[in-house]
């Protein structure tokens, strides 16, 4: 298919080291060649910039490198890259992930044939050495090639599908008024949700087009952190934003908020293998079940949950020791 639609690829990096070599190699291997790459050096203090400059010496794609004077965080780096992008489509790629050689070709074909506002695709997680860690095919078995953005948003909120920052491509027109909020742990989810809310039509490619690298020390693989509670805050913001203008959507945000509270509590209990039960209970009651989260135990919020989740909330509130023991045994 002949076309000249430009894809802008935005790659922030901070102390990326050798990981970025695979990323650049995957870009050079693309069958579809009309793309630009914007590397944003987020104040790296290792030799990442030198590695990238060396790797770029023999590439045939257009690129630019933006050097930031200090480390401002992933959101800021992505926003800087977005402000410099000139393509009609925007793709955010992490410096340790890499795409298949037909990725851009398939994405552009779907944009040209169906004219969606965004296109997302499957991915697989791989170890640092490239070995497979996990497929996610089961999460996409009920997705059509073209769906309304509302349907996709509902499936996303209900965890029927999984979209991460690098498994989705946007029409620039759709996200021209958006930016990544500097809210750390949940910046990707926040942006994805707001982009879907701005969209009407979503395209889906039933292929694993990107390798999502599982790195030691990354947020997803690190020890439990209270930053995970930011997810609850995020869904609380969206719930309050829509509770007076979209009942169905607000109920879905409320349900996801409640489930996040259960999942975060469960994650903490599972992460503490050596603490005594009474110490775990004290931590939960001090840091997770706070004045801000306890209102979510009210009946008006719990009624949207399934019976299993309601029982979990009941045990967590009234019989926390029993709840902790059950989670440890599960």
């Amino acid at each position: 298919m002949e076309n000249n639609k430009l894809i802008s690829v935005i790659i922030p990096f901070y102390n990326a080291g050798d990981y970025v070599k695979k990323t650049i190699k995957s870009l050079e291997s693309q069958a579809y060649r009309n793309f630009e790459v914007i590397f944003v050096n987020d104040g790296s203090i290792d030799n990442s910039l030198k590695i990238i400059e060396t790797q770029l010496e023999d590439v045939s794609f257009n690129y630019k490198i933006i050097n930031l004077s200090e480390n401002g965080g992933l959101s800021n780096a992505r926003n800087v890259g977005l402000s410099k992008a000139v393509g009609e489509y925007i793709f955010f790629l992490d410096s340790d992930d890499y795409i298949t050689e037909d990725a851009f070709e398939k994405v552009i074909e779907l944009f040209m044939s169906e004219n969606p506002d965004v296109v997302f695709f499957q991915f697989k997680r791989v170890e640092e050495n490239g070995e497979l860690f996990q497929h996610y095919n089961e999460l996409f078995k009920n997705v059509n090639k073209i769906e309304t953005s509302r349907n996709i948003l509902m499936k996303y909120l209900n965890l029927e599908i999984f979209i991460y920052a690098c498994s989705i491509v946007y029409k620039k027109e759709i996200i021209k008024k958006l930016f990544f909020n500097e809210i750390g742990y949940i910046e990707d989810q926040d942006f994805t949700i707001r982009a879907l809310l701005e969209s009407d039509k979503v395209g889906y490619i039933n292929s694993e087009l990107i390798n999502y690298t599982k790195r030691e020390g990354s947020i997803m693989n690190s020890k439990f952190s209270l930053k995970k509670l930011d997810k609850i805050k995020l869904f609380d913001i969206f719930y309050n934003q829509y509770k007076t203008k979209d009942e169905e959507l607000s109920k879905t945000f409320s349900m996801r908020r409640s489930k996040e509270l259960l999942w975060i509590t469960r994650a903490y209990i599972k992460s503490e293998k050596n603490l005594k039960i009474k110490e775990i209970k004290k931590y939960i009651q001090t840091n997770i079940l706070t004045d801000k989260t306890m209102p979510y135990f009210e009946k008006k919020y719990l009624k949207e949950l399934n019976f299993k989740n309601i029982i979990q909330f009941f045990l967590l509130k009234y019989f926390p020791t029993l709840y902790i023991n059950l989670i440890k045994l599960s």
Side-chain angles (χ1 to χ4, degrees):
M1 179 181 294
E2 292 291 328
N3 60 73
N4 60 354
K5 301 295 185 179
L6 181 68
I7 303 173
S8 290
V9 185
I10 299 169
I11 306 179
F13 66 94
Y14 175 73
N15 296 349
D18 289 332
Y19 294 106
V20 74
K21 291 180 180 179
K22 276 187 177 180
T23 308
I24 294 173
K25 184 178 180 180
S26 73
L27 291 166
E28 180 63 12
S29 72
Q30 289 304 295
Y32 184 82
R33 304 302 301 172
N34 197 22
F35 62 92
E36 64 165 359
V37 183
I38 304 170
F39 294 91
V40 184
N41 179 13
D42 192 21
S44 294
I45 55 176
D46 66 352
N47 62 342
S48 295
L49 179 59
K50 181 62 178 176
I51 291 173
I52 288 175
E53 289 174 335
T54 300
Q55 292 297 307
L56 291 173
E57 288 177 357
D58 298 320
V59 301
S60 58
F61 57 78
N62 294 322
Y63 68 88
K64 64 183 73 170
I65 300 175
I66 300 171
N67 290 300
L68 304 182
S69 59
E70 59 184 26
N71 179 232
L74 182 59
S75 288
N76 178 67
R78 283 176 174 163
N79 289 334
V80 170
L82 184 57
S83 71
K84 304 298 182 182
V86 298
E88 293 168 84
Y89 303 106
I90 303 295
F91 178 47
F92 298 100
L93 181 59
D94 287 346
S95 59
D96 54 359
D97 295 343
Y98 48 100
I99 54 179
T100 61
E101 63 183 22
D102 60 348
F104 290 165
E105 183 177 52
K106 288 186 173 182
V107 166
I108 286 295
E109 284 178 353
L110 187 52
F111 271 120
M112 294 300 96
S113 63
E114 303 291 344
N115 194 32
D117 297 315
V118 302
V119 167
F120 73 101
F121 38 85
Q122 288 190 32
F123 61 93
K124 61 183 176 183
R125 291 193 75 191
V126 295
E127 302 282 3
E128 292 181 31
N129 61 8
E131 292 184 2
L132 175 67
F133 175 74
Q134 186 174 1
H135 289 293
Y136 293 89
N137 311 72
E138 286 299 308
L139 287 175
F140 301 93
K141 60 184 179 181
N142 295 318
V143 187
N144 299 311
K145 182 178 180 180
I146 295 293
E147 294 202 32
T148 66
S149 60
R150 188 180 183 89
N151 282 348
I152 293 299
L153 177 58
M154 289 299 187
K155 290 178 180 180
Y156 177 73
L157 293 174
N158 288 314
L159 291 178
E160 297 172 33
I161 58 173
F162 188 11
I163 301 172
Y164 88 107
C166 306
S167 66
I168 186 167
V169 182
Y170 306 93
K171 273 186 180 178
K172 187 179 182 182
E173 179 71 16
I174 293 299
I175 61 171
K176 64 181 180 181
K177 296 180 181 179
L178 302 182
F179 55 88
F180 283 87
N181 287 313
E182 296 183 31
I183 48 180
Y185 185 74
I186 52 169
E187 56 204 5
D188 292 353
Q189 282 185 305
D190 174 58
F191 189 89
T192 299
I193 290 170
R194 288 187 290 119
L196 289 173
L197 288 168
E198 290 290 325
S199 306
D200 293 316
K201 187 177 180 181
V202 177
Y204 164 66
I205 299 172
N206 187 30
S207 299
E208 296 173 330
L209 300 185
I210 188 166
N211 296 279
Y212 181 6
T213 303
K214 176 180 176 287
R215 285 176 57 184
E216 293 299 324
S218 69
I219 289 177
M220 288 192 70
N221 298 307
S222 59
K223 185 176 173 62
F224 178 85
S225 169
L226 286 174
K227 289 182 179 180
K228 293 180 183 290
L229 292 172
D230 289 344
K231 284 191 173 186
I232 297 174
K233 297 176 185 177
L234 174 66
F235 293 113
D236 191 49
I237 289 170
F238 281 117
Y239 166 74
N240 287 313
Q241 182 179 349
Y242 284 91
K243 66 181 180 181
T244 60
K245 56 184 179 182
D246 191 322
E247 183 179 3
E248 181 188 28
L249 194 54
S250 67
K251 285 182 178 179
T252 306
F253 282 125
S254 173
M255 179 175 63
R256 181 62 184 270
R257 178 185 62 189
S258 297
K259 287 184 175 182
E260 289 290 348
L261 180 58
L262 289 175
W263 293 331
I264 290 167
T265 306
R266 179 187 179 90
Y268 168 68
I269 295 170
K270 287 287 190 180
S271 72
E272 295 294 355
K273 301 183 184 301
N274 300 317
L275 278 185
K276 295 180 179 179
I277 298 296
K278 65 178 182 180
E279 293 173 316
I280 295 175
K281 176 181 174 182
K282 181 179 179 181
Y283 183 92
I284 291 173
Q285 292 177 332
T286 302
N287 298 287
I288 299 178
L289 304 185
T290 64
D291 291 342
K292 292 183 178 180
T293 60
M294 286 306 292
Y296 307 150
F297 286 77
E298 295 177 11
K299 184 178 178 180
K300 63 179 179 180
Y301 299 127
L302 298 183
K303 66 181 181 180
E304 306 300 333
L305 300 175
N306 60 37
F307 182 72
K308 179 181 177 180
N309 290 150
I310 293 173
I311 292 298
Q312 288 176 312
F313 267 99
F314 177 80
L315 292 175
L316 181 56
K317 182 177 182 179
Y318 296 106
F319 304 98
T321 300
L322 174 60
Y323 179 79
I324 293 168
N325 279 301
L326 289 172
I327 295 300
K328 279 189 166 293
L329 289 172
S330 64

